[in-house]
């Protein structure tokens, strides 16, 4: 494989290839995938927002034990009242009642209201900075000023996600080092933070040049990029690298269940939709029964992270019973381009295709 011309983002991150692995949340990330991407010359990422401080420390140690390459740890910035949602017993009971038929169908007892729905962000940040990854990436906003300062002091590159040019400007003005411009084609959660996610649905190849023109820092393109043609197109629009999610999620090293992975390679993957059914936040996944049935109850859904915690109580049983109709099947719109490969084979194919396309274009 010929060496890809280095961009500023590649040089700053120590990459041989302009590829960033999307940081999957909800336990879909794996040490094996993160290190495979880093070893191949890209930036492996691990979505750590579901982990407490000890889990983050263990994960970073496991990554370093397998690879000397750069990697990113990703967190979700507290947004709206996600850090401590104000939900009393009566409200919680209503949220459970909406999902009771699915608990019953899977044979899972209805849960009791927990003390917390997720780890504390400040403790997660402390753990990430103590681990000192090459990159601290984040979504759903901008970390506090002191966190960004501590990252600079520790020489940790910061990478924030934007779904609009205004969000990109806000990130750049706060001193974030690089920006992921993520179009609505992307799988998983829409990470908008200045306006409602439903009002921030610009496509990747319309968004990238606007963000590139709006900020001076390096821009990484994300959303609907599943092969080398998408990489070349994004770079032609001014991106300095691409972030790829669904194609890596489908790799054998990811922590996606076999049930999920099979759907990514099926005809079902041609039909994705945006929904709040699984987490309380807008996200793109393969359309299924639970998504459709809860569409008529959108105003009754629990907010994030309550809804995410509730559906998580029956997720493992849905996997065990091979019930994709009741699972979150996150997928971007490029899924029909996927083939069954491991991470190294995917990267080799992607870069060979990109180089062939660039050669035909005379680049």
């Amino acid at each position: 494989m010929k060496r890809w011309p280095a961009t500023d983002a590649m040089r700053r991150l120590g990459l041989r290839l302009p590829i960033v692995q999307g940081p999957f949340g909800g336990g879909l990330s794996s040490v094996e995938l993160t290190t495979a991407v880093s070893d191949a010359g890209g930036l492996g990422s691990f979505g750590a927002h579901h982990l407490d401080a000890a889990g983050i420390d263990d994960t970073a140690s496991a990554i370093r034990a397998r690879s000397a390459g750069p990697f990113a740890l990703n967190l979700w910035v507290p947004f709206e009242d996600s850090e401590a949602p104000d939900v009393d017993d009566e409200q919680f009971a209503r949220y459970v009642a909406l999902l009771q038929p699915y608990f019953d169908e899977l044979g899972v007892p209805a849960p009791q209201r927990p003390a917390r729905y997720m780890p504390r962000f400040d403790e997660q940040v402390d753990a990430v900075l103590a681990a000192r990854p090459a990159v601290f990436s984040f979504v759903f906003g901008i970390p506090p000023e002191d966190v960004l300062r501590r990252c600079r002091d520790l020489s940790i590159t910061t990478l924030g996600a934007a779904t609009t040019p205004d969000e990109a400007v806000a990130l750049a003005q706060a001193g974030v080092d690089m920006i992921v411009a993520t179009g609505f084609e992307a799988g998983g959660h829409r990470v908008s933070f200045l306006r409602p996610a439903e009002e921030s649905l610009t496509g990747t190849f319309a968004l990238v040049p606007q963000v590139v023109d709006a900020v001076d820092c390096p821009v990484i393109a994300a959303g609907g990029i599943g092969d080398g043609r998408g990489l070349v197109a994004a770079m032609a629009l001014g991106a300095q690298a691409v972030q790829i999610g669904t194609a890596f999620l489908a790799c054998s090293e990811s922590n996606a269940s076999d049930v999920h992975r099979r759907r990514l390679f099926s005809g079902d993957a041609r039909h994705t939709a945006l929904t709040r059914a699984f987490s309380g936040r807008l996200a793109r996944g393969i359309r299924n029964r639970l998504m459709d049935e809860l569409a008529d109850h959108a105003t009754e859904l629990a907010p994030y992270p309550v809804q995410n915690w509730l559906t998580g109580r029956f997720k493992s049983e849905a996997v065990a019973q091979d019930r994709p109709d009741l699972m979150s099947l996150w997928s971007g719109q490029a899924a029909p381009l996927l083939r069954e490969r491991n991470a190294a084979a995917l990267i080799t194919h992607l870069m060979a295709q990109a180089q062939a396309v660039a050669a035909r274009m005379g680049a």
Side-chain angles (χ1 to χ4, degrees):
M1 183 191 304
K2 291 173 56 180
R3 187 175 183 86
W4 192 267
T7 63
D8 183 44
M10 291 168 61
R11 285 188 289 268
R12 291 178 65 177
L13 297 175
L15 308 181
R16 299 192 306 276
L17 302 175
I19 295 175
V20 175
Q21 174 224 325
F24 315 128
L28 294 173
S29 290
S30 74
V31 170
E32 291 74 18
L33 179 61
T34 301
T35 56
V37 174
S38 292
D39 285 345
L43 180 71
S45 304
F46 195 102
H49 83 274
H50 65 295
L51 298 177
D52 61 14
I56 290 171
D57 179 66
D58 290 345
T59 297
S61 297
I63 292 171
R64 286 203 168 93
R66 294 177 64 106
S67 175
F71 66 93
L73 293 177
N74 179 271
L75 295 179
W76 292 17
V77 177
F79 180 61
E80 297 173 334
D81 62 349
S82 64
E83 186 77 340
D86 184 16
V87 174
D88 61 25
D89 287 338
E90 183 179 346
Q91 291 171 311
F92 185 81
R94 288 201 301 270
Y95 297 143
V96 171
L98 182 62
L99 299 175
Q100 189 66 55
Y102 308 111
F103 286 110
D104 293 343
E105 189 172 335
L106 292 167
V108 176
Q112 300 299 308
R113 185 161 71 99
R116 286 190 62 83
Y117 296 95
M118 59 188 301
R120 298 183 186 278
F121 179 72
D122 57 351
E123 294 176 1
Q124 290 179 314
V125 168
D126 287 344
V128 167
L129 299 191
R132 296 189 67 171
V135 176
F136 170 34
S137 67
F138 41 85
V139 295
F140 286 111
I142 307 170
E145 182 179 355
D146 71 296
V147 172
L148 296 177
R149 176 185 52 75
R150 290 163 65 193
C151 287
R152 288 191 292 271
D153 292 344
L154 294 168
S155 298
I156 298 172
T157 298
T158 50
L159 179 60
T163 64
T164 66
D166 287 345
E167 290 177 351
V169 170
L171 288 161
Q173 290 179 342
V176 175
D177 295 316
M178 300 184 190
I179 294 168
V180 177
T182 176
F184 77 89
E185 302 93 334
H189 286 85
R190 302 302 304 141
V191 293
S192 308
F193 61 93
L194 289 184
R195 296 179 64 83
E198 288 86 350
E199 299 176 15
S200 307
L201 297 176
T202 305
T204 302
F205 294 108
L207 178 64
V208 169
Q210 294 181 58
V211 172
V212 168
D213 288 351
V215 300
D216 293 327
C217 57
V219 175
I220 297 168
I225 300 171
D227 64 13
R229 294 170 294 182
L231 185 153
V232 173
M235 303 287 273
L237 294 173
Q240 297 198 18
V242 296
Q243 179 171 288
I244 296 175
T246 305
F248 280 123
L249 183 64
C251 286
S252 56
E253 298 97 333
S254 91
N255 206 33
S257 67
D258 290 341
V259 183
H260 190 166
R261 191 175 285 109
R262 286 199 304 271
R263 287 306 180 279
L264 291 174
F265 295 117
S266 75
D268 293 345
R270 297 194 301 270
H271 308 289
T272 65
L274 292 166
T275 182
R276 292 180 180 268
F278 294 101
S279 73
R281 284 183 175 170
L282 197 67
R284 182 176 296 283
I286 297 172
R287 189 169 177 176
N288 66 1
R289 173 189 155 205
L290 189 141
M291 191 186 296
D292 288 342
E293 290 183 353
L294 292 183
D296 293 334
H297 301 277
T299 59
E300 303 167 52
L301 296 175
Y304 178 88
V306 182
Q307 183 76 2
N308 191 64
W309 185 89
L310 285 171
T311 61
R313 298 315 94 190
F314 59 72
K315 175 182 176 181
S316 60
E317 190 60 31
V319 171
Q321 294 186 27
D322 197 5
R323 295 292 304 274
D325 58 321
L326 299 180
M327 294 169 51
S328 55
L329 301 168
W330 304 137
S331 173
Q333 292 186 322
L337 299 174
L338 304 183
R339 300 294 182 270
E340 295 192 51
R341 298 183 173 99
N342 63 24
L346 170 63
I347 291 171
T348 297
H349 169 78
L350 191 151
M351 293 308 304
Q353 186 181 43
Q355 289 167 345
V357 171
R360 289 199 301 271
M361 295 174 59

